Amino acid sequence: MSSFRIFDIAGSALSAQSVRLNTVASNLANADAVSGDENTVYRARLPVFQAAAEPGQDDAAGVRVLGVVESQAAPEKRYEPGHPLADAQGYVYAPNVNVVEEMANMISAARSYQSSVDVMNTAKDLALATLNLGR
């Protein structure tokens, strides 16, 4: 087992949390966007992760982002007949984004990202200390 594998694992975690943060940012940016058609309204997006294992090894070696999927929850239907985007029945459709849930998700992703940065810094410091033992 390579002693530098920790950098690959922490790097995959950084990449995954970056995708998660970008997804949350996209959801929050579109939380107030409305549409006159429920098929075209913004839907919350969710990243899908999978434990990544190297071929021939049983243990996980990081995380892989499989993709970003749209939520299947129904959009919020609001009766606003005076709205310029209202449909023929007077309804507008708002995204299915829960702002409080997204903020909690953002805090969690930011803390996970920072933890991965700390892991990389600690691994780097330990590697440097090991190299300095030979002096």
Side-chain angles (χ1 to χ4, degrees):
M1 176 170 102
S2 169
S3 44
F4 295 109
R5 189 168 157 207
I6 187 69
F7 293 107
D8 295 333
I9 295 170
S12 72
L14 285 170
S15 178
Q17 294 308 321
S18 180
V19 168
R20 187 173 168 202
L21 284 166
N22 287 334
T23 305
V24 168
S26 177
N27 288 341
L28 289 173
N30 290 290
D32 291 328
V34 294
S35 175
D37 180 13
E38 69 179 314
N39 295 322
T40 61
V41 70
Y42 181 86
R43 294 185 185 272
R45 285 161 172 71
L46 310 163
V48 179
F49 302 117
Q50 178 185 38
E54 292 181 7
Q57 295 190 6
D58 294 331
D59 57 340
V63 63
R64 178 180 307 125
V65 179
L66 293 181
V68 178
V69 297
E70 284 188 350
S71 170
Q72 297 303 311
E76 180 184 345
K77 188 175 180 180
R78 298 181 192 158
Y79 183 69
E80 296 181 19
H83 196 285
L85 294 176
D87 63 9
Q89 291 80 29
Y91 289 99
V92 293
Y93 300 90
N96 57 353
V97 175
N98 182 334
V99 176
V100 174
E101 186 177 305
E102 293 296 329
M103 291 299 292
N105 199 10
M106 180 185 67
I107 292 168
S108 174
R111 288 185 177 163
S112 294
Y113 189 94
Q114 185 58 47
S115 294
S116 296
V117 168
D118 291 343
V119 165
M120 289 190 90
N121 286 333
T122 301
K124 179 191 73 158
D125 291 344
L126 289 172
L128 289 173
T130 303
L131 290 172
N132 286 331
L133 287 175
R135 287 187 182 190

